[in-house]
Structures are given as C-alpha cells and as structure tokens.
Amino acid sequence: DGTTYIGSADNVFYAIRPDGRVRWKLRTGEIIDSAGLLDAAGNVYVPSADGRLYKRRAATGAKVWTFTAEPASVTGGLISWFEGNVGMTGDGTIIAPNDNFRTYALDPATGAIRWRFATPDQTWALPAVDGDRLFAANNFFFGGTKNTFALDAGPGATQWSAHADGAVVASPLVTPDHRVIVGAFDGFLRSYDETTGALQWTFGTRDHIYASAARQPDGTIVVASADGSVYGIDPATGRRRWQYDTPDPIRSSPAVDTKGRIYVGTGD
C-alpha cells in the first residue's frame, strides 16, 4: 500500500504513509541500524540494538511477539545487539544474526528458537538463502579461524566453512551458477563453490570491502570497495571487466535493476 518502514538511531521504528505522515511507531530500548523485514501475512520484524526482535502487525503496529537474545555474558560476547538485517527461509523460518556470537532461527508464529548457530565473533551480515542452505559470514578473522559458513537451513549444521583474512560484515551473494561471492575486510572478493566450498578465485581491491556484492543480468559481479571504486567482475574467472572510480570510500551495497543499471551511494 506504499507504506515505508524504517528504523532510526533515535531508538524508534517508523511506519510512514505515502504522504509522509507517521502511521505508527515503535520505541525500542536502543538504536535501530538494521532494515525491517516484511512477510506476506502482513507482519513486520524489527531488529534493535536492545537485543530484541519485535514482530508487529504491519498495518497497525500491534504486538505479535518479542524475542530477546541471550545475554552476551552467557554466550561469550560483549553486546547482544541485533545489528544486522533479519531474513526468512523458504518455510518461513526467521533468521536473525546477533552480536552475542549467535545466529538464531526462529519460529515465525511464536518466536521460539528452532536452532542457534555459534560463531567466534559478532555477526553483522544477513545469511544468504538458497533452497535448503544458508551461507553465513562472521566478523572474526584472527588465527585462521573460519568466518564463512554453509549451513543446513533445517538444523543449522555446518556443511562447509572457509577463512578470509579479514572480517566479513556483508551478506554473501549466491549466483544462479552456484557460486557464493563474499567480500572481506582484507580487501578481497572471493568466489566459492556453493556445494563444496572450494575456492574458485579471488579479486583484490585496494581497501576493505564493507558492502555486499550484486549481479547484473549478464552475470557480471558488481562489488564496491572502501577504495572508492566499483568493479565489474567476470563470474567465471574473477577478472576485472570494468572499473568506476569515485572520490570517497564506498560502504553501501550496490543495487542493480533489470536493465543492469547500478545504483550506489558513496562517502562523498
């Protein structure tokens, strides 16, 4: 119906009518720097840095349920923020990564935990979903510890894992030809085989990669780097097809429309 849903660092999540008037708002206990998730049944899911995930009716803001993450003191973390976006699998399971070193899979009807996945550090990246698999990324990179994972979307069991020499803070990209494309703070974009996790190629930029990769209709992989450039990468070889330079770092993920046009925001 044209309603826009957005959270703010003023601790409030807003539902805004097409004319700019507020339809309803939800005050949480901390900042909201993640996107809300809308489902097909008229609900919105709101992650907040107060450690809670709120399910509300999208039309009215009425409460459905509220899930509270485990305290960081229990899980080994420092904070229990929901700092990344939340997503949904094909059967409706809610996937919610938290800074308390856990990623939760929640029952959409009740908010009960179906399974949880433990990581060595905070998770800002929303896992990518492809059928019965999830592809998750984690901030941790010290000592060769794994920070990219393929998980079974049912029990959350690890199918394969990989290591990048830098935190992975943005969501992986899964392509139609079964590649998992992941950028890291070491400045490299990596392509893994979706089934085996075998490393297919790497592409190096001149600074850390904070954004998720995108894909044009012809298959070109689009990645933005904090070096200020947007790169077009051959998906089969990892070689550069083109490069567009801007004057400042880029930490926002490029969006691509059906005609292949790219939209990206920069630090300038």
Side-chain angles (χ1 to χ4, degrees), residues 222-238:
V222 180
V223 62
S225 172
D227 65 11
S229 295
V230 183
Y231 300 91
I233 310 299
D234 185 291
T237 65

Side-chain angles (χ1 to χ4, degrees), residues 9-203:
D10 64 5
N11 301 5
V12 178
F13 186 82
Y14 298 90
I16 304 172
R17 301 174 188 269
D19 64 4
R21 292 181 297 152
V22 174
R23 182 181 298 276
W24 56 263
K25 59 185 178 181
L26 169 69
R27 178 166 294 280
T28 72
E30 251 294 355
I31 68 172
I32 303 168
D33 57 4
S34 309
L37 172 70
L38 292 163
D39 68 16
N43 302 294
V44 61
Y45 302 82
V46 182
S48 172
D50 65 6
R52 295 180 177 90
L53 177 65
Y54 302 84
K55 181 179 181 179
R56 298 294 186 264
R57 294 297 296 168
T60 64
K63 179 179 179 179
V64 183
W65 51 252
T66 300
F67 170 77
T68 302
E70 298 160 278
S73 59
V74 173
T75 60
L78 298 175
I79 55 177
S80 57
W81 288 24
F82 282 107
E83 193 159 0
N85 297 339
V86 296
M88 180 181 289
T89 65
D91 66 357
T93 300
I94 301 300
I95 304 297
N98 190 275
D99 283 348
N100 68 355
F101 300 2
R102 297 290 185 271
T103 294
Y104 296 99
L106 305 177
D107 185 293
T110 66
I113 297 174
R114 288 183 170 173
W115 53 262
R116 56 171 69 80
F117 178 67
T119 51
D121 207 327
Q122 299 176 5
T123 299
W124 299 353
L126 172 64
V129 180
D130 186 18
D132 59 357
R133 279 190 295 238
L134 300 175
F135 301 93
N138 188 242
N139 293 12
F140 198 79
F141 67 93
F142 293 109
T145 302
K146 307 298 186 182
N147 55 10
T148 305
F149 308 93
L151 308 176
D152 187 295
T158 304
Q159 296 182 346
W160 56 260
S161 57
H163 171 76
D165 293 323
V168 183
V169 304
S171 301
L173 168 71
V174 183
T175 68
D177 55 351
H178 307 295
R179 304 176 190 273
V180 180
I181 310 293
V182 183
F185 268 24
D186 62 1
F188 282 90
L189 188 71
R190 293 173 171 85
S191 174
Y192 299 100
D193 181 275
E194 179 180 349
T195 302
T196 66
L199 181 64
Q200 298 169 323
W201 51 256
T202 64
F203 175 82

